Amino acid sequence: KWNVTIGKHDICDLNMRDCYLRSLHFSLTTLSTVGYGDISPVSELETIWENIVVLIGACFLAGLIGAFGAYLSECDKLGFNSFKEKLEKLR
């Protein structure tokens, strides 16, 4: 929460677990490029839930991109896979 009197957040003054949880939240949100948006978690449980959702979404997106890359690699007619197929036919 923003403390108007001292002009800074007082999240780390309460306990260190909340401080580390909030810092993990900001790191994950920034690195996953989800963005902070208009709705942000307020409680500890909401922060944990958002971190889990962001990690699941990032894993899903990584799997989708990997599967698409594998599909394009298999469908390659002119590149390295084509070269391997031609070598196999010669043997």
Side-chain angles (χ1 to χ4, degrees):
K1 298 174 185 172
W2 185 260
N3 190 336
V4 181
T5 337
I6 59 175
K8 68 176 188 174
H9 285 283
D10 60 354
I11 190 79
C12 289
D13 296 338
L14 303 175
N15 66 26
M16 289 307 290
R17 187 179 73 199
D18 288 341
C19 185
Y20 281 114
L21 183 64
R22 188 58 64 165
S23 64
L24 177 68
H25 160 71
F26 280 113
S27 299
L28 284 175
T29 305
T30 302
L31 290 174
S32 66
T33 67
V34 169
Y36 301 102
D38 296 333
I39 301 171
S40 60
V42 177
S43 69
E44 180 181 345
L45 185 62
E46 290 174 353
T47 306
I48 292 170
W49 175 251
E50 185 173 345
N51 287 342
I52 290 170
V53 168
V54 166
L55 284 173
I56 289 172
C59 290
F60 178 74
L61 184 63
L64 189 64
I65 290 172
F68 187 66
Y71 172 74
L72 289 179
S73 178
E74 286 294 320
C75 292
D76 189 14
K77 300 292 182 196
L78 299 174
F80 186 70
N81 285 335
S82 175
F83 177 71
K84 286 194 314 188
E85 286 178 16
K86 288 177 185 175
L87 281 179
E88 287 296 321
K89 286 180 184 176
L90 289 175
R91 290 182 186 181

